[in-house]
Amino acid sequence: MALGTNHVTNTTGATFIPELWSDEIIAAYKQNLVMANLVSKMSFKGKKGDTLHIPKPTRGAAALKAASTQVTLQAATETEIQVLVNKHYEYSRLIEDITETQALASLRKFYTGDAGYALAKQVDTDLIRLGRNAAGGNGTIAYDKAVIASDGTTLYTGGNEAAITDAGIRKIIQTLDDADVPMDGRVLVLPPVARNVM
């Protein structure tokens, strides 16, 4: 019996045919993250809005307390850091059914690994730039607040990563110490070109 044109095919029933690529891409994505593993994550699933308000409290100071006297109250007017929720990235490839059928399994493995890597690299790049912006930089590839060399004046420009020195790293540590940044949770992330010359 010949089939007519009104039957379910792989094309018409494509939404019911599962794809397992997403799990493979997520695994590659998580494996390649650097900065994203060092920051707090906030889920936006099911939430509305386009701006994240993060409190930026002022560090307090200890005050000497004498007997029979009042304590010294601290009441700083706190500020905040605003983060715009305005980025959405994707990675798309179209593989024809015939190509998927005929190609080696390594084709899919390459594309899922590449998708995870590309997305992780983009997320890390955005987080680094966001950190520069939060710390008083301009939020671009250049960072006019980061001293990277011993002279105390060579600023990171987004192209001179190889100029970082041991003395520059000590200057970074001193800058954090002078700003009373807690030792807990400090991390130094270096680009490959900077690691290569140290």
Side-chain angles (χ1 to χ4, degrees):
M1 179 173 144
L3 293 175
T5 57
N6 296 326
H7 58 278
V8 176
T9 66
N10 280 357
T11 301
T12 60
T15 56
F16 293 94
I17 300 173
E19 291 283 348
L20 303 177
W21 290 42
S22 62
D23 290 341
E24 295 172 34
I25 293 170
I26 290 169
Y29 167 75
K30 289 182 175 178
Q31 184 179 17
N32 285 290
L33 289 175
V34 177
M35 284 301 298
N37 292 328
L38 302 173
V39 299
S40 298
K41 297 172 183 66
M42 297 179 181
S43 175
F44 289 98
K45 190 173 183 180
K47 297 180 182 175
K48 307 292 184 190
D50 63 355
T51 306
L52 182 62
H53 298 269
I54 303 172
K56 185 180 176 186
T58 305
R59 185 171 291 283
L64 182 64
K65 168 70 171 75
S68 302
T69 64
Q70 287 187 337
V71 296
T72 304
L73 298 177
Q74 300 180 48
T77 301
E78 309 299 359
T79 59
E80 67 177 16
I81 296 173
Q82 293 186 8
V83 178
L84 295 180
V85 182
N86 61 354
K87 292 191 170 54
H88 182 98
Y89 293 102
E90 58 86 26
Y91 179 104
S92 301
R93 288 195 185 259
L94 174 63
I95 300 174
E96 294 286 347
D97 289 344
I98 188 69
T99 304
E100 186 175 7
T101 301
Q102 294 177 344
L104 296 172
S106 58
L107 173 73
R108 187 176 87 183
K109 184 176 180 182
F110 171 79
Y111 286 150
T112 56
D114 188 51
Y117 175 78
L119 292 168
K121 184 176 178 183
Q122 186 60 59
V123 167
D124 278 347
T125 299
D126 276 1
L127 285 172
I128 288 170
R129 290 181 181 174
L130 183 62
R132 292 175 189 158
N133 193 16
N138 59 13
T140 65
I141 192 168
Y143 182 30
D144 57 354
K145 302 294 181 185
V147 176
I148 64 172
S150 59
D151 61 10
T153 60
T154 301
L155 302 177
Y156 173 73
T157 63
N160 65 341
E161 298 92 338
I164 194 166
T165 63
D166 292 342
I169 292 173
R170 289 192 296 274
K171 177 70 174 173
I172 292 168
I173 294 169
Q174 180 186 349
T175 301
L176 294 172
D177 289 344
D178 291 345
D180 244 354
V181 175
M183 294 291 283
D184 183 41
R186 285 189 191 180
V187 177
L188 177 62
V189 177
L190 295 171
V193 67
R195 290 195 309 260
N196 192 42
V197 297
M198 297 188 87

